[in-house]
Amino acid sequence: MRWKVWAAALLVVTGLGGGAWALGLLPGPSSCTGGTVRVSVAAQPEIAPALRDVASRFNVEEHRVGGRCVRARVTAVAPAEFARRPELRRHADAWVPESSVWLGIVRDAGGKDVPSGGTSLAETPVVLAMTRPVAEEFAADRVAMSWKLLFKDKADGVGLARRAADPAVGISGAVAMLAVDQTGGKAGDVAAALRASAPSPTDDASGGSAAVLTGLTTAGRLDRSLVVTTEQAAVAYNDAHRPNPVTPIVPDEGTLMLDHPYAVTARDRRHRDAAAAFGDALGARSARNALQQAGFRAPDGTFGDAYARDHGLSATPPRALRFPTSKELAEALSSWKR
């Protein structure tokens, strides 16, 4: 499986079932007399707020398993932290990392408390982002929006301040290394520049795709900031930084998507069934709408037409990069550590 290929290479450098309702997980207006089953969900910080909104509605609706009410609680946890700390995994009934890659990382490191796969809740492409003035300058100068910009010090004679997340904490950084290799560059040639400006895990909750956006306004006066992030992180940034938006652009060669899997990690049957009930709720239309409002695409990579138009984004999935071989991935990622 392709995500297992990613996981194996990342280690070089560093079920959700469909029959939940058949098990008696039925919503109802009446109170539950048999007590409460509390479901703890550890989620990627960027997606956690939307999942909390879904959990709030879920809890009011009084879903039940085995006669007991189910209550869901979502906590933002950086995937690298969740992967590193077994005690966090012991207290979680489900995990939503940014990518299925993380499931393989934990399992290959001996964490058999994490399943090999999950159900994608939402996708978001890895993109190049810049401020609107820089995007307008690029367009006026007819600068190609290519991954090749990552291995250039200048674009049309103007310096570039490039930034990406450390692949050990943000999968968008791993995609950047892969894209460089696929578009005629060598990851090792640009990793030093990207590594020097990568956010640390203390920059925000994850040190990943969202954290790199904090560097957009810190480039030298004559440099153009260019960061590798996700489309969703750019949308969220814009909502919080009006009227100074950033422009996310899918490079001409294409990109890879982060799939945000919902993986049930509970050990006992009751909590597994309860976690599956919440997982079913996350597939409802109201949950899809909440995730879209947070900037996430549907699991098939699409946006609603109106939402895409309002945000200046494409409603259809972006062109995909070629999926790398395990050797290509290992070489690209190991370059970050040199």
Side-chain angles (χ1 to χ4, degrees):
M1 296 178 64
R2 66 180 190 173
W3 293 113
K4 286 187 177 180
V5 172
W6 279 59
L10 279 167
L11 285 174
V12 172
V13 296
T14 49
L16 179 61
W21 304 114
L23 295 172
L25 309 176
L26 301 174
S30 61
S31 62
C32 301
T33 58
T36 300
V37 182
R38 301 192 182 279
V39 174
S40 176
V41 180
Q44 174 76 19
E46 287 88 346
I47 204 171
L51 299 188
R52 287 194 194 104
D53 290 344
V54 179
S56 294
R57 290 192 297 271
F58 177 88
N59 293 341
V60 170
E61 292 168 354
E62 291 193 352
H63 294 263
R64 300 189 298 277
V65 53
R68 294 177 179 242
C69 283
V70 179
R71 295 287 184 269
R73 181 174 181 268
V74 178
T75 302
V77 180
E81 188 75 358
F82 192 87
R84 185 179 65 85
R85 296 176 58 188
E87 68 272 19
L88 291 180
R89 302 199 296 275
R90 284 195 296 270
H91 290 91
D93 300 305
W95 183 27
V96 186
E98 62 183 335
S99 169
S100 293
V101 172
W102 286 106
L103 304 179
I105 291 173
V106 175
R107 287 183 63 83
D108 288 349
K112 302 308 180 184
D113 48 350
V114 168
S116 59
T119 298
S120 175
L121 299 181
E123 290 200 343
T124 189
V126 178
V127 299
L128 297 177
M130 61 220 73
T131 62
R132 179 181 289 174
V134 169
E136 292 172 348
E137 289 175 4
F138 279 147
D141 295 339
R142 301 194 179 194
V143 174
M145 288 296 97
S146 168
W147 289 109
K148 293 178 181 178
L149 291 172
L150 292 180
F151 49 89
K152 292 183 177 180
D153 294 326
K154 295 182 178 181
D156 197 44
V158 180
L160 290 175
R162 300 153 292 169
R163 202 171 194 222
D166 182 340
V169 296
I171 299 301
S172 61
V175 173
M177 297 293 96
L178 292 166
V180 164
D181 275 348
Q182 286 192 28
T183 53
K186 294 183 179 180
D189 293 341
V190 299
L194 295 174
R195 187 170 58 242
S197 59
S200 71
T202 58
D203 284 348
D204 75 350
S206 69
S209 298
V212 293
L213 287 169
T214 61
L216 271 176
T217 59
T218 61
R221 187 175 175 187
L222 299 179
D223 287 341
R224 291 166 169 165
S225 285
L226 182 71
V227 302
V228 179
T229 185
T230 66
E231 182 182 73
Q232 184 278 331
V235 170
Y237 181 94
N238 288 346
D239 285 344
H241 293 81
R242 296 173 180 170
N244 299 305
V246 300
T247 301
I249 296 177
V250 175
D252 298 337
E253 301 90 348
T255 188
L256 293 173
M257 306 282 277
L258 306 187
D259 63 332
H260 299 85
Y262 183 81
V264 175
T265 59
R267 295 173 180 172
D268 67 272
R269 176 65 180 272
R270 179 174 292 161
H271 281 83
R272 289 188 65 82
D273 288 349
F278 183 56
D280 282 348
L282 290 171
R285 177 174 294 183
S286 59
R288 298 281 189 231
N289 290 338
L291 288 164
Q292 179 176 262
Q293 290 303 312
F296 290 96
R297 292 173 177 263
D300 63 0
T302 62
F303 267 140
D305 290 339
Y307 184 90
R309 185 171 53 253
D310 290 346
H311 289 78
L313 302 170
S314 171
T316 58
R319 178 182 178 184
L321 282 173
R322 175 179 58 80
F323 201 82
T325 66
S326 57
K327 180 179 179 181
E328 289 171 335
L329 182 58
E331 290 176 351
L333 296 176
S334 63
S335 66
W336 190 270
K337 294 293 184 180
R338 293 173 187 168

